[in-house]
Each structure stands twice: as structure tokens, then as C-alpha cells.
């Protein structure tokens, strides 16, 4: 008896399945937001006829239009479009200001750590000072890690 194989998805992915998923996603967005084909086309930078073809599953949506749709409607569209692949969108919400704070505070922590550890050890006062420096940074780092875990599916 051979050992069971562990492998990726065995789902069949055909053009019609993908086209229907995109159509379902656009149809749901259009219905929920009362959008016409012209409205969809405006977002996708396409004519209303082309947007209608996407909405009806009659045309393949290019990567630029797909990206514009995901940017505009996020997971409400993207999760529907990606559903046949077994994946979903995972928005990233780290702002540029947060990145600057993380970089600045991490740099301050590392400089303080190296200063305190110059003699090869940390005493309890230095440890408390380091904790005070790093503690405000922890929620931002935990948020960043949580988002990375969500992307990896952890």
C-alpha cells in the first residue's frame, strides 16, 4: 500500500469558469451599487459594451481592468473573481506614516540596545529601558505580522 500523496488543489479551472466568476463578481457589484455597464466601464477604463461583455461572461478581462476592478471594489469583487482558484484577496493596510514610525522607532531601539550591550550584558535597568522603548512599537509590528500571516494563509 502506498502512502497518500499531499498535493495542491485538483480543481478544474477552465476559461468558462473564470469568465463566469468575473461576471458573477461584476454582476454583484453592479446590482448592489446600481451601476450600469457605462459606470462599470468608467471604472475599468473600457467601453460600456466591453464592460457588459465582462458582466455577461462573454469576454476575458485583461490584467489592467482586473486590477482596476480590485482597486475600486476590493474583496467584494476580487474574492468572487478569484474564487475558482481557491484564493481570496488579503488587503494590506500599512500606511507610509506607519512604516516611517516603525523604521524610526526600530532604529532607536537598536541604537539603544547596542549602547546598553556594549559591555556584553544587559542589567535589569537597561532591560526596563529597552522595554519602554520597544513597547509602543509592538502593536505596529504585530499588525504588520498579522497581515503577513494573512497573506501566507497562516
Amino acid at each position: 500500500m502506498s502512502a497518500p500523496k499531499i498535493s495542491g488543489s485538483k480543481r478544474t479551472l477552465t476559461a468558462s469558469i473564470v469568465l463566469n466568476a468575473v461576471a458573477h463578481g461584476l454582476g454583484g457589484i453592479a446590482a448592489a451599487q446600481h451601476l450600469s455597464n457605462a459606470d462599470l466601464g468608467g471604472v475599468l477604463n473600457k467601453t460600456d459594451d466591453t464592460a457588459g461583455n465582462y458582466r455577461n461572461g462573454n469576454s476575458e478581462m485583461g490584467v489592467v481592468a482586473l486590477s482596476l476592478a480590485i482597486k475600486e471594489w476590493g474583496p467584494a469583487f476580487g474574492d468572487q473573481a478569484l474564487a475558482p482558484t481557491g484564493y481570496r484577496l488579503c488587503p494590506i493596510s500599512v500606511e507610509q506614516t506607519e512604516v516611517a514610525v516603525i523604521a524610526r522607532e526600530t532604529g532607536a531601539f537598536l541604537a539603544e540596545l547596542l549602547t546598553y550591550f556594549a559591555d556584553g550584558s544587559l542589567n535589569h535597568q537597561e532591560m526596563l529601558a529597552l522595554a519602554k522603548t520597544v513597547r509602543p512599537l509592538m502593536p505596529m509590528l504585530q499588525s504588520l505580522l498579522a497581515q503577513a500571516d494573512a497573506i501566507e494563509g497562516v
Side-chain angles (χ1 to χ4, degrees):
M1 181 162 97
S2 65
K5 293 183 180 179
I6 299 173
S7 62
S9 173
K10 299 288 187 204
R11 293 180 183 169
T12 300
L13 188 63
T14 65
S16 64
I17 290 172
V18 173
L19 293 175
N20 287 333
V22 168
H24 182 72
L26 282 179
I29 292 292
Q33 297 183 15
H34 308 289
L35 301 177
S36 67
N37 288 343
D39 296 327
L40 295 174
V43 169
L44 303 174
N45 200 26
K46 299 291 181 182
T47 66
D48 57 341
D49 288 341
T50 300
N53 284 332
Y54 296 157
R55 187 176 176 179
N56 294 323
N58 295 328
S59 288
E60 185 173 330
M61 181 184 282
V63 69
V64 173
L66 178 68
S67 297
L68 290 169
I70 290 171
K71 182 176 187 254
E72 180 72 19
W73 299 302
F77 167 75
D79 286 353
Q80 292 293 324
L82 293 173
T85 67
Y87 290 90
R88 62 181 174 81
L89 291 180
C90 180
I92 299 172
S93 64
V94 176
E95 300 294 326
Q96 185 175 357
T97 54
E98 288 176 337
V99 171
V101 170
I102 290 170
R104 185 185 69 237
E105 296 300 320
T106 302
F109 171 75
L110 291 175
E112 192 173 344
L113 174 64
L114 291 172
T115 299
Y116 289 148
F117 200 71
D119 64 358
S121 66
L122 294 174
N123 65 39
H124 69 284
Q125 291 172 330
E126 293 166 336
M127 186 67 70
L128 291 174
L130 285 170
K132 185 177 180 181
T133 301
V134 79
R135 196 172 309 279
L137 183 60
M138 292 308 295
M140 289 180 278
L141 292 174
Q142 288 170 331
S143 173
L144 187 107
L145 290 172
Q147 290 180 56
D149 288 348
I151 291 167
E152 290 181 334
V154 174

